């Protein structure tokens, strides 16, 4: 991993199109400003990881069990 | 229990392309939606590359009518949506051992442009939603 030291207001550039700027420092928090092309998704890493993890779990779901929940759902809905 | 994923019949017009895949499954890019009455209102998003990957999906508005994820225009560019009627909204369902505890992922809605057959899982950066929203309210 490349590690760089930056001061408040300084930036790093990734490739030709992505700029990450240190916008604010406050105790243990760093506020970053990110300039990236519109087609590049910028997300907090932990959220991306959560989605990956949930997709993995969802893909291992057993289809037999869906019939159960579907019929309960339809009954609740028709009330 | 018949394995309906094994001998899936679909036409090439039914295929929905996910250019970026789905987080965790970035290499699986072609899916079809399979609706089977026994599972309604749930449907299946089935990968057609032979991987046997499939997800149960549901329209989140059916159990969470107030759901209004804040999706940025730039997140939809890849889908080339021209009119709102083209948009299909789904949540991925995780079926639990106790089916009544099954949950849907409201942070990662799947948006599909049904006329251009392009799909994408959008990531909502909003802490009011979770990846494990109960589907059946008590």
């Amino acid at each position: 991993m490349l590690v760089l030291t930056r001061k408040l207001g300084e930036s790093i550039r990734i490739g030709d199109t992505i700029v990450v700027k240190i916008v604010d420092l406050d105790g243990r928090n760093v506020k970053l400003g990110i300039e990236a092309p519109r087609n590049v998704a910028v997300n907090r890493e932990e959220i991306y990881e959560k989605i990956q993890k949930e997709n993995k779990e969802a893909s291992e779901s057993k289809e037999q069990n869906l019939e159960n929940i579907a019929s309960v759902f339809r009954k609740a809905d028709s009330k | 229990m018949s394995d309906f994923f094994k001998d899936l019949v679909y036409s090439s017009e039914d295929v929905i392309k996910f250019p970026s895949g789905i987080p965790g499954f970035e290499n699986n890019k072609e899916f079809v939606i399979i609706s089977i009455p026994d599972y309604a209102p749930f449907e299946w998003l089935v990968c057609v590359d032979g991987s046997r990957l499939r997800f149960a999906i549901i329209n989140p508005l059916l159990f969470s009518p107030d759901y209004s994820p804040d999706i940025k225009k730039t997140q939809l560019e890849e889908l080339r949506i021209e009119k709102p009627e083209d948009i299909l909204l789904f949540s991925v369902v995780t079926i639990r051992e106790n089916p009544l505890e099954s949950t849907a992922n409201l942070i990662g809605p799947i948006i599909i442009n049904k006329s251009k057959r392009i799909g994408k899982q959008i990531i909502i950066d909003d802490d009011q939603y979770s990846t494990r929203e109960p589907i059946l309210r008590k």
Side-chain angles (χ1 to χ4, degrees):
Chain A
M1 187 190 282
L2 173 68
V3 179
L4 297 166
T5 303
R6 300 277 65 197
K7 294 193 176 76
L8 185 63
E10 290 182 337
S11 302
I12 62 162
R13 183 175 283 267
I14 302 168
D16 294 329
T17 52
I18 298 174
V19 176
V20 180
K21 185 175 180 178
I22 312 300
V23 174
D24 196 13
L25 297 168
D26 172 20
R28 291 173 55 87
N29 296 318
V30 179
K31 198 179 270 181
L32 303 172
I34 296 144
E35 267 180 48
R38 293 151 72 90
N39 60 349
V40 174
V42 178
N43 288 110
R44 288 180 285 164
E45 173 69 8
E46 65 271 24
I47 294 192
Y48 192 83
E49 281 172 5
K50 250 186 175 175
I51 303 250
Q52 277 186 325
K53 186 168 168 268
E54 197 59 31
N55 282 343
K56 291 233 165 81
E57 267 188 48
S59 75
E60 289 157 10
S61 298
K62 293 196 183 76
E63 49 254 33
Q64 300 92 289
N65 291 339
L66 189 64
E67 255 183 88
N68 278 321
I69 177 174
S71 74
V72 173
F73 195 104
R74 289 193 301 261
K75 267 182 213 142
D77 210 36
S78 63
K79 263 181 205 157
Chain B
M1 183 74 202
S2 63
D3 185 356
F4 57 80
F5 303 116
K6 207 175 114 213
D7 303 303
L8 205 57
V9 180
Y10 61 92
S11 89
S12 58
E13 294 108 70
D14 294 334
V15 174
I16 301 159
K17 287 208 157 72
F18 281 67
S20 323
I22 286 175
F25 301 92
E26 285 78 3
N27 297 322
N28 301 99
K29 296 181 192 288
E30 296 197 337
F31 292 82
V32 291
I33 293 174
I34 304 293
S35 308
I36 294 167
D38 284 348
Y39 297 119
F42 298 88
E43 294 172 281
W44 290 98
L45 185 67
V46 182
C47 187
V48 292
D49 62 5
S51 64
R52 301 177 73 91
L53 177 67
R54 82 284 178 284
F55 299 95
I57 53 173
I58 188 171
N59 176 348
L61 298 175
L62 292 177
F63 65 90
S64 181
D66 300 331
Y67 183 50
S68 60
D70 179 19
I71 298 170
K72 295 185 182 58
K73 242 181 156 176
T74 53
Q75 291 182 288
L76 294 176
E77 259 171 22
E78 200 174 341
L79 298 176
R80 296 189 284 129
I81 290 161
E82 281 157 10
K83 38 188 199 306
E85 308 89 88
D86 288 342
I87 300 175
L88 295 176
L89 170 69
F90 292 107
S91 292
V92 177
V93 174
T94 306
I95 311 159
R96 307 284 167 195
E97 227 24 77
N98 173 357
L100 304 183
E101 288 170 4
S102 297
T103 56
N105 181 350
L106 294 190
I107 297 188
I110 288 191
I111 314 277
I112 290 169
N113 178 343
K114 64 177 173 190
S115 66
K116 292 208 166 65
R117 318 297 300 172
I118 310 170
K120 184 181 178 181
Q121 187 170 31
I122 306 275
I123 299 178
I124 306 297
D125 213 325
D126 183 343
D127 292 331
Q128 71 165 301
Y129 297 122
S130 82
T131 52
R132 296 179 172 188
E133 211 75 39
I135 294 171
L136 297 171
R137 306 276 167 199
K138 288 188 184 111

